[in-house]
Amino acid sequence: MKIIITESQYQKLTEKKLRTFLYSFWDNQKKHGETPSLDDMLFNVLEINKETREDYDMVRPLWYDYNGGYNVLFEKIKDEIDTKEYKLVEAEFDLETTIKVVHLDIEGQFVEIMVDVDPRGTIEFHGWDDETEEEYTVNDTIEEAYHEALLNYEGADFEGMIRSSVYDLFYNLLKKYGIPIDVDIHLQEIHGASYGINENQEKFTRKSDIIKNMWDKEKGEKGYATFDEDILTYFNITDARDKYDYATLFTEYIGGFDEAFKIIDKITMNNFNTKDFPKKIVGGYNFEWRIIHLGVKRDEVYIDGEIANGGTVTLIGDGRTVTLEDALNDGNMWWEIENEVREVVEECMDFLIRPKTGIKINVQYVSIK
């Protein structure tokens, strides 16, 4: 007689055999005075690679069950390391500093460990001397090493190296619990205040100091510096208020608001054409314009513009290209066209003015002939 079983029934049988084998293995470790563990020999016998999807799907769930459940093991990890400080030493990089666990979280099967790394610790790193055009090796603070890495656009690599050292420390410390881990680091004085651009206006923070050095370097090479929001994103400066603070810092760097306004005044004397700007800014619009009014309200710059005759727009819906005049006379779309034209002018003026001054332009009104 042929017996037919389903795939799910087969899996249950396989899991039952695996559970019996693993529980027997771990019980045997106990009998010999050993602590049950996910020994490498165990994976060799099972012909399962450790720390793979197969391991996490088949072996780890049974390990968690054997030890009273995942949460029991997580709490043991938490009790052992949460808010604790450790010495981080890595001979390869001559790295020595203090780290502190500031938060633990569960992400799937992984325990994510958030760690502060004291930037006052020391590390050996390579730098570049612009005057001699030679590389040098120095043992200095992690803060200085990070500074050098950011100047060379290697900040992510540097953080990755520190993160790898932190991971190795906790991997070896916590492997007895059998829960996979991940680590996230933040350069932060363990016993000091956090860095922030407004913390002390007389003493620039690490990031702002690095960015100013980049402006100095660009000015030395090109004769002028530029404000680039992509650089802020690179430094993980994404909050709107922080971006505004750094834009203001750039305005001060080039001589203050009065000097910036002179640059704006000079730029806005020109006539402009959408053909001279990136497609992602102007979209389907094609027109020329000039600035008819430039003003300031509470240190914010406002402008009014005038669109020349003959402008067109390619409509998204049906792909037709029509004149702005015809589009404005369409009762169903005139308000949309009017707003989009103003937005195009504003983004184009920002494209020209913000990198040179740090100031964002506000377009109040655009007249369309």
Side-chain angles (χ1 to χ4, degrees):
M1 181 178 69
K2 181 184 291 186
I3 299 176
I4 301 175
I5 63 173
T6 65
E7 178 67 22
S8 62
Q9 289 173 325
Y10 175 77
Q11 291 298 332
K12 286 179 181 178
L13 286 173
T14 303
E15 181 185 332
K16 185 176 180 180
K17 289 181 180 179
L18 183 60
R19 182 184 295 272
T20 300
F21 169 75
L22 291 175
Y23 275 39
S24 175
F25 180 89
W26 292 324
D27 286 342
N28 193 50
Q29 284 183 312
K30 282 184 179 180
K31 288 179 183 179
H32 288 81
E34 301 175 11
T35 301
S37 66
L38 292 167
D39 194 278
D40 288 343
M41 182 184 69
L42 183 64
F43 289 91
N44 290 335
V45 171
L46 295 172
E47 296 185 343
I48 293 176
N49 291 324
K50 197 172 184 178
E51 296 170 355
T52 61
R53 175 51 55 194
E54 194 174 13
D55 170 17
Y56 296 146
D57 287 345
M58 296 177 63
V59 179
R60 300 296 169 127
L62 299 177
W63 167 256
Y64 303 147
D65 288 347
Y66 183 82
N67 287 278
Y70 182 95
N71 288 335
V72 170
L73 292 171
F74 174 72
E75 288 301 322
K76 288 182 179 181
I77 291 175
K78 194 172 181 180
D79 289 341
E80 180 166 346
I81 70 172
D82 195 20
T83 72
K84 302 289 192 339
E85 294 181 13
Y86 299 88
K87 279 293 180 185
L88 179 65
V89 178
E90 177 64 70
E92 183 180 356
F93 308 108
D94 204 9
L95 167 65
E96 184 173 347
T97 191
T98 301
I99 64 175
K100 181 178 180 179
V101 177
V102 294
H103 185 65
L104 297 172
D105 203 0
I106 298 174
E107 292 288 340
Q109 283 197 41
F110 284 73
V111 171
E112 186 173 2
I113 308 171
M114 275 67 87
V115 180
D116 280 349
V117 177
D118 198 321
R120 295 171 297 184
T122 56
I123 189 172
E124 184 178 282
F125 64 95
H126 300 290
W128 180 262
D129 191 319
D130 287 330
E131 293 184 4
T132 62
E133 296 187 345
E134 293 181 350
E135 187 178 67
Y136 62 86
T137 302
V138 63
N139 189 292
D140 207 331
T141 64
I142 293 172
E143 181 174 358
E144 286 299 318
Y146 186 55
H147 182 148
E148 185 69 29
L150 287 173
L151 287 174
N152 292 292
Y153 297 93
E154 296 173 349
D157 292 338
F158 181 82
E159 287 185 345
M161 181 270 292
I162 299 290
R163 185 182 296 109
S164 178
S165 296
V166 173
Y167 175 86
D168 289 344
L169 185 152
F170 285 110
Y171 178 85
N172 292 321
L173 183 65
L174 302 175
K175 61 183 178 181
K176 58 193 174 189
Y177 296 113
I179 292 183
I181 65 168
D182 196 4
V183 299
D184 191 16
I185 66 167
H186 178 56
L187 296 182
Q188 171 71 55
E189 289 187 21
I190 301 301
H191 298 293
S194 62
Y195 294 100
I197 190 168
N198 295 316
E199 179 185 7
N200 185 337
Q201 292 298 333
E202 300 301 320
K203 180 182 178 181
F204 287 117
T205 65
R206 179 176 69 252
K207 287 182 180 179
S208 61
D209 193 32
I210 294 169
I211 290 172
K212 285 185 68 181
N213 285 343
M214 296 176 76
W215 292 338
D216 287 340
K217 185 175 181 180
E218 184 181 23
K219 187 176 180 181
E221 294 174 351
K222 299 180 180 179
Y224 60 89
T226 54
F227 177 73
D228 187 349
E229 285 201 11
D230 288 340
I231 295 295
L232 300 186
T233 302
Y234 179 82
F235 284 98
N236 199 30
I237 301 168
T238 56
D239 180 77
R241 181 69 216 183
D242 290 340
K243 286 184 177 182
Y244 176 82
D245 288 339
Y246 276 91
T248 302
L249 181 64
F250 182 80
T251 303
E252 294 171 357
Y253 176 84
I254 64 171
F257 183 84
D258 289 344
E259 189 63 32
F261 191 79
K262 291 178 183 177
I263 296 172
I264 296 171
D265 187 42
K266 185 176 181 180
I267 291 173
T268 54
M269 289 180 181
N270 297 304
N271 292 328
F272 307 96
N273 192 315
T274 53
K275 294 179 180 179
D276 299 323
F277 294 88
K279 188 70 174 177
K280 65 179 181 179
I281 293 179
V282 301
Y285 285 92
N286 182 7
F287 58 81
E288 298 178 10
W289 77 94
R290 66 187 183 94
I291 304 305
I292 57 176
H293 177 71
L294 173 65
V296 178
K297 292 180 182 178
R298 292 184 292 276
D299 288 339
E300 292 191 2
V301 178
Y302 292 84
I303 63 175
D304 293 332
E306 182 180 76
I307 310 300
N309 286 324
T312 63
V313 58
T314 299
L315 303 177
I316 295 177
D318 54 20
R320 289 183 301 124
T321 297
V322 299
T323 65
L324 291 181
E325 182 180 3
D326 288 343
L328 289 171
N329 288 331
D330 187 317
N332 295 321
M333 69 172 73
W334 67 268
W335 58 272
E336 182 180 358
I337 297 297
E338 196 171 81
N339 285 331
E340 288 183 354
V341 167
R342 185 188 62 77
E343 289 172 1
V344 167
V345 171
E346 187 169 273
E347 289 189 35
C348 287
M349 299 312 298
D350 264 340
F351 180 81
L352 295 174
I353 292 171
R354 191 161 170 80
K356 291 181 170 61
T357 65
I359 293 175
K360 190 170 179 60
I361 297 299
N362 297 285
V363 175
Q364 290 190 122
Y365 173 73
V366 174
S367 66
I368 303 175
K369 290 184 176 181

